[in-house]
Amino acid sequence: MTELQTTDAPLAGEEIPGALVVSEPVARRQARRQARRRASLASILIPPLLFGAFIIGIWYVISYLVIAPRRRFLLRPPHDVLQEGFLKWESLSELLDALWASSKVALIGLAISIVLGMLMAVIMSQAKLLERAMFPYLVILQAIPILAVVPLIAFWFKTGINARIIVCVLISLFPIIVNTLFGLQSADRGMHDLFTLQHVSRWTRLSKLMFPAAMPAIFAGLRISAGLSVIGAIVGDFFFARGEIGIGQVLRKYANNLDGEQLIAAVIVSSLLGVTVFLFFGWLQQRIVGRWYADSGAP
Amino acid sequence: MRETATTLLPTAKNEGITFDAIGMTYPDGTNAIDEASFSVGAGEFVTVVGPSGCGKSTLLRIASGLLEPSSGTVDIDRNHLGYVFQDPTLLPWRTVRQNVELLAELRGLPRAERSELAGVAIEMVGLGGFEQHYPKSLSGGMKMRCSLARTLTLRPPVFLFDEPFGAVDEITREHLNDQTQQIFQREGFAGLFITHSISEAVYMSTRVLVMSARPGRLVAEFEVPFGYPRVQDLRFEPKFAELSGEISRELRGNS
Ligand SMILES: Nc1ncnc2c1ncn2[C@@H]1O[C@H](COP(=O)(O)OP(=O)(O)OP(=O)(O)O)[C@@H](O)[C@H]1O
Ligand SMILES: [Mg+2]
């Protein structure tokens, strides 16, 4: 009977002030956290690596078993692509130069989109009237297929780096504006009331409430726009077909020459840029909002 | 703060809240409050109970200045007003400590001062040790305590509570009742409290007001004869049950 004296035990394991649940030794906790990180790194890397190996396997099967030897130029096996596209210095240096040219355009375009897009979103968030006036045109801008405006841009701005950057901005601006605006409007009424009661200035409300609340949405927009700006840079280069040689022109040249290995190598390189920017913003997002933002949906 | 207040001539303005013939009809035509006149003085803890949708939150929003009444006036010093909402409304990107410091920060208090105020408030609500946690890792009751601590940093002479403990379990709620009561005793503010729970109303208050269903009007007023500090066992005293019963009958008669 007397064994059941548990009246002092914390209820539901928490909530008893001053009676902090005694923490396990710090060292043990750290060791466990490290083990967990190692396990999670493996669980992050292994599935995609396996799947990548699977895809390369299929690639070999298609190259050697599906396609008749006579027509093998259509899909050279992976080691040929590696050999011809990446391990030969002339083709590699051509690719890297093109990558550099396109990266410049994509990054400058993205930077302009970020600054311009966030600025426009902030302005629209401050004046409902402006938002209503401008939004339909943004939707139209978004709806125009980029291929339709490329000739117009070439007509107005020639085909130099400026024209390419404009293509990038046009294609990557919309997600930044829409996501930032959505984010700025995501703080709920109670939070606004809290600030209203302290008679804060517009600027304080924006910088201490609306902007931090918008961060997760802004990052979602950044990751979309980062990918789009890379596409913009390549599409612009492909259609202008002159000026500093970027990935677009290299792709066109290999396609015309039926250089199968190099074409595939160029496709791989072009995706590399997009993936890098995407990963960079993912990392930045984790750094900035990962601590407080509870990703929903993950079981 | 309170000391200086007592040396001044007692004016209604700095001491509490006075509602004078407040009426509220929303733009869509909803008549939320018919007519309400009452006051809450310093050292009083007045609770309003009433059926859902009778205009209790509306009353507090009017008191705080977030909402303009359609008619009538409120006498209240809005520069020193504490208002605890029904939801914790913590900023998720701020830690507990940063959340508690928020109001002092918005008022432009120097860093050292707001840090001290926050430290005291966090201790008062028993959140010591959780300063660096983000809201997402707090339980519902802890979030509410954090919200309470945030308001406490203002050391408000007038304190509005809109069903602050409505969403927490019974045990946590009783615990929060006691903490709030201790703070009330220490600070002696003028408190206006909203709740659905008759037991909570009687346990906390010096006076209980009963509001009728919409359009809300005050239909009854009960003095609570118990002194402070009150302990949880009070809830099981016959006099407590009797008073609760009277209030309950009044509520049912008007809902
Ligand atoms: N902004 C608004 N516009 C129109 N009607 C409103 C608005 N806010 C509240 N009301 C109406 O006014 C009435 C009173 O609302 P209020 O929120 O004050 O009720 P309450 O007493 O706090 O209810 P509860 O106890 O459920 O919180 C309700 O009928 C509600 O529908
Ligand atoms: Mg309410």
Side-chain angles (χ1 to χ4, degrees), chain A residues 47-177:
Chain A
L49 284 178
L50 284 179
F51 192 67
F54 175 70
I55 289 180
I56 289 177
I58 300 240
W59 182 350
Y60 270 114
V61 169
I62 295 176
S63 291
Y64 282 118
L65 302 179
V66 178
I67 302 177
R70 201 163 41 82
R71 311 187 60 208
R72 189 154 294 148
F73 70 93
L74 284 177
L75 184 64
R76 311 292 309 183
H79 59 263
D80 280 1
V81 171
L82 192 67
Q83 178 66 33
E84 295 293 314
F86 293 109
L87 296 182
K88 279 201 181 142
W89 176 243
E90 322 136 48
S91 59
L92 182 65
S93 76
E94 187 176 25
L95 267 184
L96 290 182
D97 285 345
L99 181 64
W100 169 238
S102 291
S103 304
K104 253 189 326 199
V105 172
L107 293 181
I108 295 173
L110 182 61
I112 294 175
S113 276
I114 293 173
V115 173
L116 198 65
M118 300 225 279
L119 202 67
M120 285 173 75
V122 166
I123 291 171
M124 285 163 81
S125 79
Q126 295 301 298
K128 212 71 214 145
L129 190 68
L130 259 177
E131 183 194 339
R132 279 208 303 263
M134 284 161 66
F135 208 84
Y137 297 99
L138 289 172
V139 174
I140 291 173
L141 174 74
Q142 168 66 8
I144 299 174
I146 194 70
L147 294 185
V149 282
V150 168
L152 200 57
I153 290 169
F155 180 60
W156 283 336
F157 301 99
K158 304 289 185 293
T159 56
I161 188 162
N162 289 348
R164 285 148 212 255
I165 290 172
I166 289 170
V167 174
C168 273
V169 172
L170 280 182
I171 200 175
S172 63
L173 187 62
F174 188 73
I176 304 238
I177 297 177

Side-chain angles (χ1 to χ4, degrees), chain A residues 177-192:
Chain A
I177 297 177
V178 172
N179 281 280
T180 307
L181 189 60
F182 169 77
L184 289 172
Q185 291 166 343
S186 70
D188 65 35
R189 188 175 90 158
M191 292 181 188
H192 277 288

Side-chain angles (χ1 to χ4, degrees), chain A residues 15 193-194 198 208 212 292, chain B residues 61 92-93 105 107 139 150:
Chain A
E15 292 278 325
D193 286 347
L194 192 67
Q198 304 308 320
K208 298 212 161 152
W292 62 267
Chain B
R61 290 180 68 80
W93 53 90
E105 186 182 319
R107 292 181 158 239
S139 71
R150 178 177 64 193

Side-chain angles (χ1 to χ4, degrees), chain B residues 49-57 86 163 194-196 211-214 251 255:
Chain B
V49 292
S52 184
C54 72
K56 305 182 297 294
S57 296
Q86 190 157 354
E163 284 187 58
I194 305 285
T195 180
H196 272 127
M211 231 169 142
S212 70
R214 212 186 68 214
L251 257 176
S255 56

Side-chain angles (χ1 to χ4, degrees), chain B residues 21-33:
Chain B
I22 289 295
M24 182 66 210
T25 304
Y26 281 103
D28 67 359
T30 311
N31 188 3
I33 300 175

